[in-house]
């Protein structure tokens, strides 16, 4: 019996290794045979290069110095928009970040691997990263959809006065800051009206680089119906500004292929599953596999046939509807085509809250109308927090936020405007199995004793 178990285990291991090997070879062949390559990239690539905008680590102090002691800055991203006591500290923070991660940037192994993957093929880079690393690494065809921190715009007339190049000015600010010679006369201003400049990054004054947009459009039109490969690097499910349109691009072109690399979170919709490969692995190990066509242990998702949605019997559909009402009261799913997801609208009121539940994927929640909504969140790490969805910033309300996978949530109507209801919208993946996970009452109460009232009121007893 032990011999049989070992034999079965060995055969399964060999079968998995063969599948992984064939997936690596297939990805290698897709890249090799491609007529053109569209590289898309987000935070996963930046983090791999050592730039994490979202973490509070020792590098934060190394980059910002005494500003971290002077202000409660949580991470590099917040450093750009923090309400400093004076403008000089604002520009000190910007100049220090840009000097450290921009002016001192050296082309990484990741950028070298991307160049090797592209080889001499027509290519374009589409990124939401603001670090400008692709251009600094020598790539010419780049669209930075959220701008970059080497550019500025007039704070008073951003559209009219155009985009300013700030690289040299920020380096000058950094040097004067280090010698104690920085004054308000060094603050970057618009040469047309004298107003202070803002960084040309996502925000109210952000100006898209139309030349980059036109170049990307020309690239896509030129390679329409050719063998295009979309190589997606470190883009999580919540980054819909790049992920969604590129998946739609692949869906519309039967000759296109999609390779996504994102450790921990792969999202490949059913519509393009037959022409897609996912690498749930680091960029370094995945690049090694794709370049060589050999497996080195990366976890992969091979192409698979499109699955027809399971048809429920009328009785099953009725039972499912009855069960879902506890978690998605008065919900409506928009069956209109949107790559990878169905929009879902949910109306809650005082008598019909959304009880504690989680799904097998992360999801964004957005306020639509009516009263504010209170979202109670219980994380896998044992933390509780709540979010008010609405439009009143004086009440710390936010219009939308993202719930990480595995978080148990309950939503109730704040009943604060007299509307008597709150309308929330979210999205559900088309390739999900629809499973709704319900926490055990006793376990939840034991882990979160301080939230007893919420748990007792908003948990479905099993």
């Amino acid at each position: 019996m032990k011999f049989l178990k070992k034999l079965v285990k060995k055969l399964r291991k060999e079968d998995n290794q063969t599948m992984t090997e064939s997936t690596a070879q297939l990805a290698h062949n897709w890249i090799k045979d491609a007529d053109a390559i569209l590289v898309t990239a987000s935070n996963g690539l930046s983090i791999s290069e050592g730039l994490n905008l979202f973490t509070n680590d020792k590098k934060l102090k190394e980059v910002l110095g005494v500003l971290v002691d002077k202000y409660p800055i949580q991470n590099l991203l917040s450093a750009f928009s923090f309400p400093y006591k004076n403008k000089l500290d604002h520009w000190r923070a910007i100049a220090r970040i840009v000097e450290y991660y921009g002016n001192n940037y050296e082309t990484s192994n990741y950028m070298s691997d991307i160049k090797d993957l592209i080889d001499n093929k027509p290519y374009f880079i589409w990124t939401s990263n603001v670090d400008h690393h692709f251009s600094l690494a020598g790539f010419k065809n780049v669209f930075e959809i959220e701008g970059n921190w080497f550019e500025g715009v007039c704070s008073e007339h951003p559209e009219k006065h155009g985009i300013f190049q700030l690289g040299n000015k920020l380096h000058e600010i950094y040097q004067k800051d280090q010698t104690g010679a920085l004054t308000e006369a060094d603050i970057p201003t618009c040469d047309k009206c004298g107003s202070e400049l803002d960084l040309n990054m996502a925000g109210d004054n952000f100006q898209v680089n139309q030349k980059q947009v036109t170049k990307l459009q020309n690239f896509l039109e030129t390679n329409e119906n050719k063998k295009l490969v979309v190589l997606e690097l470190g883009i999580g499910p919540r980054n819909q500004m790049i992920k969604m349109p590129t998946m739609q691009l692949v869906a519309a072109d039967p000759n296109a292929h999609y390779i996504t690399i994102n450790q921990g979170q792969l999202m490949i919709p059913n519509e393009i599953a037959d022409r897609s490969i996912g690498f749930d692995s680091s960029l370094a190990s995945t690049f090694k596999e794709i370049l060589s066509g050999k497996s080195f242990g990366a976890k992969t998702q091979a192409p698979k046939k499109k699955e027809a949605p399971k048809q429920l019997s009328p009785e099953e559909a009725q039972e499912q509807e009855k069960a879902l009402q506890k978690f998605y009261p008065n919900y409506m799913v928009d069956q209109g085509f949107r790559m990878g997801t169905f929009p879902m609208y949910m109306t809650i009121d005082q008598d019909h809250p959304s009880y504690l539940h989680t799904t097998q994927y992360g999801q964004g929640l957005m306020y639509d109308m009516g009263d504010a909504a209170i979202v109670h969140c219980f994380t896998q790490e044992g933390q509780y927090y709540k979010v008010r969805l609405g439009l009143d910033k004086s009440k710390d309300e936010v219009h939308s936020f993202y719930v990480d996978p595995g978080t148990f949530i309950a939503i109730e109507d704040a009943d604060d405007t007299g509307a008597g209801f709150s309308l929330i919208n979210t999205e559900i993946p088309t390739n999900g199995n629809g499973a709704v996970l319900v926490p055990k009452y006793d376990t939840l109460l034991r882990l979160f004793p301080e939230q007893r009232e919420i748990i007792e009121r908003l948990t479905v007893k099993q």
Side-chain angles (χ1 to χ4, degrees), residues 217-413:
Q217 290 173 337
N218 291 339
F219 170 82
L220 295 176
E221 290 173 4
T222 300
N223 293 287
E224 187 176 5
N225 296 321
K226 294 183 180 180
K227 290 185 288 185
L228 175 71
V229 170
V230 175
L231 179 61
E232 183 184 87
L233 312 177
I235 301 183
R238 72 186 76 179
N239 189 336
Q240 297 298 297
M241 71 178 70
I242 297 179
K243 197 174 189 75
M244 188 66 67
T246 50
M247 289 192 299
Q248 290 173 335
L249 173 69
V250 174
D253 187 348
N255 296 313
H257 290 94
Y258 177 73
I259 301 174
T260 178
I261 310 168
N262 193 47
Q263 192 165 16
Q265 281 187 313
L266 291 180
M267 185 185 115
I268 299 177
N270 183 49
E271 291 88 348
I272 61 173
D274 59 330
R275 289 178 286 121
S276 300
I277 293 174
F279 287 87
D280 182 0
S281 183
S282 68
L283 290 176
S285 59
T286 301
F287 285 161
K288 187 177 180 181
E289 294 204 0
I290 298 177
L291 284 167
S292 66
K294 298 178 181 180
S295 174
F296 295 95
K299 184 179 178 182
T300 62
Q301 180 175 324
K304 57 184 179 180
K305 293 181 179 179
K306 297 179 183 179
E307 298 177 0
K310 180 184 177 182
Q311 298 297 319
L312 300 178
S313 68
E315 293 77 16
E316 289 174 327
Q318 187 175 10
E319 284 299 314
Q320 184 187 70
E321 177 71 18
K322 184 178 178 181
L324 284 177
Q325 286 292 340
K326 284 285 186 182
F327 310 103
Y328 303 122
N330 303 312
Y331 73 94
M332 179 188 71
V333 175
D334 184 354
Q335 298 294 330
F337 178 78
R338 184 184 291 187
M339 176 59 59
T341 61
F342 287 133
M344 184 178 75
Y345 302 87
M346 175 172 53
T347 303
I348 59 174
D349 56 40
Q350 288 291 296
D351 297 323
H352 302 92
S354 172
Y355 286 82
L356 276 166
H357 69 283
T358 187
T359 53
Q360 296 175 330
Y361 46 85
Q363 62 186 128
L365 296 172
M366 182 177 292
Y367 168 84
D368 267 344
M369 65 174 67
D371 297 328
I374 300 174
V375 186
H376 302 278
C377 304
F378 296 81
T379 74
Q380 296 290 324
E381 291 75 31
Q383 296 180 331
Y384 164 81
Y385 65 94
K386 67 179 178 180
V387 176
R388 284 182 67 98
L389 283 176
L391 302 177
D392 191 344
K393 293 184 179 180
S394 68
K395 296 179 181 178
D396 293 326
E397 293 175 1
V398 296
H399 189 210
S400 63
F401 81 108
Y402 182 84
V403 182
D404 288 322
T407 303
F408 286 104
I409 64 170
I411 313 172
E412 59 181 335
D413 177 14

Side-chain angles (χ1 to χ4, degrees), residues 127-143:
T127 180
S128 59
N129 294 339
V130 297
D131 51 39
H132 206 49
H133 284 182
F134 278 106
S135 295
L136 294 173
F139 291 94
K140 303 298 183 183
N141 305 320
V142 181
F143 173 35

Side-chain angles (χ1 to χ4, degrees), residues 52-78:
N52 192 331
L53 292 173
F54 308 99
T55 190
N56 189 332
D57 57 13
K58 64 179 181 180
K59 266 194 175 181
L60 189 66
K61 179 65 181 284
E62 184 179 344
V63 175
L64 296 177
V66 296
L67 291 175
V68 174
D69 301 322
K70 189 175 180 181
Y71 301 102
I73 301 170
Q74 296 302 310
N75 51 45
L76 290 173
L77 185 62
S78 65

Side-chain angles (χ1 to χ4, degrees), residues 116 407 436:
D116 289 340
T407 303
V436 175

Side-chain angles (χ1 to χ4, degrees), residues 126 143-148 151 153 158-159 162-163 200-214:
W126 184 359
F143 173 35
E144 296 164 318
I145 194 172
E146 292 191 296
N148 73 72
E151 294 180 344
V153 289
E159 294 184 22
I163 297 174
N200 190 34
M201 289 160 48
D204 294 338
N205 293 331
F206 172 59
Q207 300 299 302
V208 175
N209 189 317
Q210 292 300 327
K211 291 183 179 179
Q212 293 182 354
V213 173
T214 300

